[in-house]
Amino acid sequence: RLANPAIYIPLGVVLVMALGRRYWWAALILAVVTSLIIEAGQTMLDERVASPIDVVMNVLGALAGIACAMALGGPRVRRP
C-alpha cells in the first residue's frame, strides 16, 4: 500500500507545475479523478482488487506532492 502514495507524489508535483500554484486545488481534483478511474478499471480485471483505501492513499500521496511543489515554489500564474 505504500507504493500507491509514492506513485502519486510525483503526479501532484507535475500537476502543480503544469497548472500553476494558484490552481493547486485543480491538481488535487485531477489526482482524485485519476485515482477513481484507475480503481474503477481494476474492477474489470480478475487479478486486481479495487479498494477505497487505495484511493485514500493515492490522494494523500498527491497531496504530499502538491505540498512539496507549493513549498518549493512552483510556477505562479501571472495576471495579464
Side-chain angles (χ1 to χ4, degrees):
R1 303 240 175 197
L2 294 178
N4 287 0
I7 293 169
Y8 276 76
I9 290 171
L11 177 65
V13 171
V14 168
L15 288 173
V16 169
M17 294 296 180
L19 298 172
R21 289 172 38 167
R22 183 176 181 184
Y23 297 105
W24 67 268
W25 53 270
L28 180 60
I29 291 171
L30 285 170
V32 169
V33 169
T34 301
S35 181
L36 289 171
I37 289 171
I38 290 172
E39 291 300 315
Q42 287 183 3
T43 62
M44 297 177 213
L45 302 172
D46 291 335
E47 63 274 0
R48 301 293 299 179
V49 177
S51 168
I53 294 172
D54 286 347
V55 174
V56 171
M57 295 302 288
N58 295 345
V59 171
L60 288 175
L63 273 173
I66 290 168
C68 287
M70 297 291 284
L72 295 173
R76 297 180 183 192
V77 175
R78 295 185 185 189
R79 293 185 182 180

